[in-house]
Amino acid sequence: MDYLSKFINYLRATKNLSDKTLKAYTCDLKQFFNFEKTILSPDICDFIAYLNTNLN
């Protein structure tokens, strides 16, 4: 089991989040991990700028 699955399972078990919220978290984190692979030093601010550019 990968870190993302463990984290989502943790949230499901401890935070009582809805399935839609967990699905959104999974999607967002997968996007970040894919973005992170394309740059040398990942930065959450760069990722937010990337999302802003690509989602608008």
Side-chain angles (χ1 to χ4, degrees):
M1 183 180 289
D2 61 40
Y3 291 116
L4 179 57
S5 296
K6 287 181 181 182
F7 179 64
I8 296 300
N9 286 335
Y10 163 78
L11 292 176
R12 182 178 287 115
T14 62
K15 302 298 181 186
N16 196 29
L17 299 174
S18 75
D19 287 339
K20 286 184 179 183
T21 299
L22 294 171
K23 220 177 234 189
Y25 280 15
T26 301
C27 181
D28 292 345
L29 288 169
K30 283 181 179 180
Q31 285 181 325
F32 178 69
F33 295 149
N34 287 333
F35 173 79
E36 177 186 50
K37 290 176 188 174
T38 64
I39 57 175
L40 296 176
S41 70
D43 182 345
I44 194 69
C45 293
D46 290 339
F47 177 63
I48 292 170
Y50 165 80
L51 287 178
N52 190 36
T53 301
N54 290 306
L55 295 179
N56 286 331

